[in-house]
Amino acid sequence: EIQLLILKGVVPEALAASIRTAYALLEEKHGAGIKVSLRSSAVGEDTAQASFAGQYRSELNVSPENLLTAYKEIIASKYSLTAISYRQRMGIPDHLVPMCVGCMPMIHGMAGGVAYSRNPVDFRADQVVINAVPGLPKSVVDGSGDPDRFLVTLAPEPRISSRSISRKTSKLVALPGEGVQAVGTSAEEAEQPAVSESRVLELARMVRSLEAYFHTPV
């Protein structure tokens, strides 16, 4: 019921105007009619005590005509059954979790995924963990896919200490008009790693540089 109230509501004109103005600035930089990715970003979403990964909605390859609709869908996702149950179980009051929406130009990624600057399963191990799939990374984020998994040890020299390559029968791609679609992979692509060894090592170094910048695992 809460989600429906938000979806049926009208975005206040001042906010709608601000969103349209910000989108126009993106157009000036990246081209007229550029498709965008709208991503949920709730305050306190990922901390040392809690993680909301995959609970909130994201909208990929959105046209300018549907910006405000996609915005409302992401705001409404704060009140999904999973998200509400998790906040209650963690003792997090609703008013402490305002929902923001990040908007950025859409790219047609060759591969995507999630990287951890420290191994969340074995925090004492000096390892970077990288999960990746070909195409867009939605299945990694929401847990619906079986990604390739790489463990990278950085000392004394960066090296891949472990890898698990899954068989990938499909991948998610952006449609020419709007939205995304799952398409089948070729027999060769199904067996290949989503990212090359050199790219895995490059990503590991980047993730560790972010950890150094923020002074905490990321």
Side-chain angles (χ1 to χ4, degrees):
E1 289 178 349
I2 296 173
Q3 291 185 81
L4 284 175
L5 285 171
I6 295 171
L7 294 173
K8 292 179 179 179
V10 177
V11 177
E13 182 51 40
L15 176 56
S18 293
I19 291 174
R20 286 192 288 265
T21 299
Y23 176 79
L25 294 176
L26 281 182
E27 284 189 306
E28 290 179 9
K29 186 174 182 180
H30 299 282
I34 182 174
K35 306 298 193 307
V36 289
S37 165
L38 272 65
R39 310 303 300 270
S40 60
S41 183
V43 171
E45 182 170 344
D46 289 298
T47 65
Q49 290 76 37
S51 175
F52 290 81
Q55 294 185 18
Y56 300 137
R57 192 181 182 99
S58 291
E59 292 293 335
L60 304 178
N61 206 32
V62 178
S63 69
E65 294 78 17
N66 290 319
L67 268 177
L68 296 182
T69 299
Y71 170 79
K72 288 194 295 182
E73 289 175 348
I74 294 171
I75 295 293
S77 72
K78 177 186 170 184
Y79 297 99
S80 70
L81 179 60
T82 302
I84 291 176
S85 300
Y86 183 79
R87 290 197 298 271
Q88 288 186 332
R89 190 167 69 251
M90 298 297 291
I92 303 173
D94 181 80
H95 70 276
L96 293 183
V97 191
M99 176 66 82
C100 309
V101 179
C103 179
M104 63 203 78
M106 183 70 194
I107 63 169
H108 300 270
M110 294 175 61
V114 176
Y116 301 86
S117 66
R118 299 282 165 170
N119 189 337
V121 178
D122 185 1
F123 193 76
R124 292 169 295 180
D126 186 24
Q127 295 174 323
V128 171
V129 179
I130 296 172
N131 297 307
V133 293
L136 302 174
K138 184 176 175 63
S139 65
V140 182
V141 177
D142 64 18
S144 63
D146 184 18
D148 295 342
R149 186 170 186 267
F150 303 90
L151 297 181
V152 180
T153 304
L154 293 166
E157 294 292 333
R159 65 181 180 87
I160 299 175
S161 54
S162 174
R163 74 186 74 201
S164 174
I165 308 302
S166 65
R167 189 171 190 277
K168 299 162 280 289
T169 57
S170 66
K171 62 181 179 180
L172 200 66
V173 299
L175 291 170
E178 184 177 32
V180 297
Q181 181 181 23
V183 299
T185 58
S186 66
E188 181 181 4
E189 188 178 16
E191 305 296 339
Q192 290 293 319
V195 286
S196 66
E197 181 173 319
S198 61
R199 184 57 53 83
V200 168
L201 296 176
E202 179 185 5
L203 287 168
R205 287 189 286 265
M206 292 171 65
V207 172
R208 274 298 171 87
S209 68
L210 287 170
E211 179 182 277
Y213 179 82
F214 287 109
H215 303 290
T216 185
V218 294

